[in-house]
Amino acid sequence: MKKKIISAILMSTVVLSAAAPLSGVYADTNSDIAKQDATISSAQSAKAQAQAQVDSLQSKVDSLQQKQASTKAQIAKIENEAKALNAQIATLNESIKERTKTLEAQARSAQVNSSATNYMDAVVNSKSLTDVIQKVTAIATVSSANKQMLEQQEKEQKELSQKSETVKKNYNQFVSLSQSLDSQAQELTSQQAELKVATLNYQATIATAQDKKQSLLDEKAAAEKAAQEAAKKQAAYEAQQKEAAKAQAASTAATTKAVEEATSTVSSSQASQSSSNTSSNNTSSNSSSSSSNNTSSNSSSSSSNSSSSNSSSSSSSSNGGGSTNTGNTGGSSSSGINSTPIGNPYAGGGCTDYVWQHFAAQGIYIRNIMPGNGGQWASNGPAQGVLHVVGAAPGVIASGFSTDFVGYAGSPYGHVAIVTAVNSDGTIDVVEGGSGFGWGHTRSHVSAAGVTFLMPN
């Protein structure tokens, strides 16, 4: 492309330098007429070459603009799908929550009332064979209903997991398309700058006979400089993306290795405890109906453990909600819900992935928040006992949907980042990843309007 531009410049220079004075048109000699004809012919040839270059560049610009329109349409489609999926996930969560309450109530009732003994008393104390059959049928109907309820619970939990995975995939595609749109914009700017150079070449050739050579050549030089600067910016942008990708890969590998080692240790301990519990349960089972009782007992135990965990999380949230965090992110959550090592549940390369890895390096493993897009951490994190609200301070999590904080308008996912400083004017400095920023990207004096500050429980 640059060779074509240089060729056009040289052609224009040759034509302009060869131009004869207009007074030569009125020369009476055949020699002067021949020279003027040659000048006109050269100008027409240069004009045709410059016009061909303009047409070629315009075609590239049109193609890039069409690609941008298609990419924007894809992004809009993903945004709509994300909203629909989040609504479905919220509905499933509510359904599962209500059914869990029912199952837990039934399990507690079975333990308190000794249902197995009551069932036997009901049969023994029946007045007739018909009464026995009716009571047995009623008991079987209740058991069947409980079984159907458990099967529906398992089905909706699987569906919930599948929809959450779809949201993660859509988020990765959204970020990829956004980055592609940025890259296309960089390329479009470069192509438009080159188009301006080619257009000015064409105009310079046409304007030769009108004595406007110098002004057009100056404009062309300025346009060439702008094209070079645009090309440099595009090269710098691509280099930054490559470096960010390398840094992200290195950070992800290091965190994954640490989590796997910690998980292996915890898994061994849990496997030993599980083996002991299994042996104890097998010894206590002594009849065919014990299978049903064990199921109720285990459900009740799970409910009790969940309640205990939620109580602990609620207590942690209560303790942290009224105070301003001072930035001490290590150790304060060593006994909280996020202290046990787990695998990273968040979409690779996203802002939530960056924040998760930031805390995992300190021995804090943030549980899966559902729905768990960056902006939803502010509401769903505390509601699910994973996070608690704190004041703005270095080292805390910032979450929100505002345009200034996210970096662009209309995001259905929002954003999370780590606060590095709180400025005297109320703005914050952050370090972040994902959403086209690059891994470990920093920003200063970001508006805190609409931003919630959080810490893991």
Side-chain angles (χ1 to χ4, degrees):
M1 182 59 67
K2 290 183 179 179
K3 290 182 178 179
K4 290 183 178 180
I5 293 173
I6 292 171
S7 297
I9 293 172
L10 292 175
M11 178 61 73
S12 299
T13 304
V14 170
V15 172
L16 292 169
S17 63
L22 293 178
S23 60
V25 175
Y26 302 101
D28 294 330
T29 63
N30 290 333
S31 177
D32 289 337
I33 293 174
K35 288 179 181 180
Q36 189 62 27
D37 288 340
T39 299
I40 294 173
S41 177
S42 296
Q44 292 296 332
S45 176
K47 171 185 173 182
Q49 291 180 10
Q51 183 62 54
Q53 186 180 11
V54 169
D55 293 343
S56 175
L57 279 173
Q58 186 63 54
S59 176
K60 290 182 179 180
V61 169
D62 291 343
S63 176
L64 279 172
Q65 289 175 337
Q66 291 176 0
K67 188 183 295 184
Q68 277 196 315
S70 175
T71 302
K72 288 178 180 178
Q74 285 181 278
I75 289 176
K77 180 181 178 182
I78 290 174
E79 288 177 341
N80 292 332
E81 290 177 353
K83 291 177 182 177
L85 281 172
N86 284 336
Q88 292 175 17
I89 287 173
T91 301
L92 284 173
N93 273 328
E94 188 63 28
S95 176
I96 290 171
K97 180 179 177 182
E98 292 299 322
R99 193 178 292 105
T100 299
K101 288 181 181 178
T102 301
L103 292 173
E104 288 174 352
Q106 289 180 357
R108 284 194 294 270
S109 175
Q111 284 187 331
V112 172
N113 298 325
S114 299
S115 11
T117 303
N118 292 339
Y119 294 161
M120 185 61 69
D121 289 343
V123 173
V124 171
N125 295 327
S126 299
K127 296 179 181 179
S128 65
L129 180 58
T130 302
D131 192 17
V132 170
I133 293 173
Q134 290 176 344
K135 290 181 178 180
V136 170
T137 301
I139 293 170
T141 301
V142 171
S143 299
S144 176
N146 286 342
K147 181 180 178 183
Q148 291 176 356
M149 189 178 296
L150 288 170
E151 290 174 348
Q152 183 65 21
Q153 184 84 333
E154 181 180 358
K155 177 182 177 182
E156 290 191 359
Q157 285 175 337
K158 288 181 179 178
E159 185 178 355
L160 178 62
S161 177
Q162 291 172 353
K163 290 185 182 297
S164 296
E165 287 298 320
T166 302
V167 168
K168 291 179 182 178
K169 291 178 181 177
N170 283 353
Y171 173 80
N172 285 335
Q173 187 180 3
F174 179 89
V175 172
S176 175
L177 287 173
S178 296
Q179 292 174 342
S180 175
L181 192 62
D182 290 342
S183 178
Q184 290 170 14
Q186 292 281 346
E187 185 179 357
L188 181 60
T189 300
S190 178
Q191 290 289 344
Q192 286 176 329
E194 290 187 6
L195 176 58
K196 186 175 181 180
V197 172
T199 302
L200 289 172
N201 261 329
Y202 168 79
Q203 291 177 348
T205 303
I206 298 300
T208 298
Q210 301 173 0
D211 223 9
K212 294 182 179 180
K213 168 186 174 181
Q214 194 57 50
S215 62
L216 288 173
L217 288 178
D218 290 342
E219 288 182 20
K220 184 178 70 173
E224 286 176 338
K225 183 178 180 181
Q228 291 174 353
E229 289 176 352
K232 287 180 181 179
K233 287 182 180 179
Q234 183 176 354
Y237 173 80
E238 293 173 352
Q240 180 188 11
Q241 291 298 99
K242 289 181 181 179
E243 289 300 320
K246 289 180 181 178
Q248 178 185 346
S251 176
T252 301
T255 302
T256 300
K257 182 178 179 181
V259 171
E260 287 176 350
E261 291 175 353
T263 303
S264 176
T265 302
V266 173
S267 297
S268 298
S269 175
Q270 291 177 342
S272 176
Q273 183 178 358
S274 176
S275 175
S276 175
N277 291 338
T278 302
S279 175
S280 175
N281 290 335
N282 288 339
T283 302
S284 63
S285 61
N286 52 26
S287 69
S288 60
S289 63
S290 64
S291 174
S292 173
N293 291 335
N294 283 339
T295 302
S296 298
S297 177
N298 289 338
S299 175
S300 176
S301 176
S302 175
S303 170
S304 177
N305 290 337
S306 176
S307 298
S308 174
S309 175
N310 289 337
S311 175
S312 173
S313 299
S314 175
S315 174
S316 175
S317 176
S318 175
N319 292 337
S323 63
T324 300
N325 190 286
T326 60
N328 180 16
T329 60
S332 61
S333 299
S334 59
S335 61
I337 189 175
N338 300 301
S339 61
T340 304
I342 60 170
N344 189 346
Y346 296 101
C351 58
T352 51
D353 177 27
Y354 181 84
V355 173
W356 189 93
Q357 293 195 41
H358 172 85
F359 280 95
Q362 305 172 49
I364 301 171
Y365 307 90
I366 299 175
R367 266 20 191 196
N368 192 14
I369 300 169
M370 298 176 62
N373 300 318
Q376 294 171 318
W377 279 30
S379 57
N380 293 347
Q384 296 172 22
V386 179
L387 306 173
H388 62 271
V389 178
V390 298
V396 306
I397 302 168
S399 171
F401 288 93
S402 67
T403 298
D404 189 56
F405 178 61
V406 173
Y408 52 91
S411 172
Y413 300 100
H415 187 48
V416 286
I418 302 297
V419 177
T420 57
V422 180
N423 303 306
S424 59
D425 61 357
T427 61
I428 56 175
D429 297 349
V430 298
V431 60
E432 59 204 344
S435 299
F437 290 123
W439 208 250
H441 179 265
T442 59
R443 285 189 290 160
S444 301
H445 295 283
V446 179
S447 173
V451 176
T452 300
F453 302 100
L454 309 151
M455 280 294 289
N457 286 331

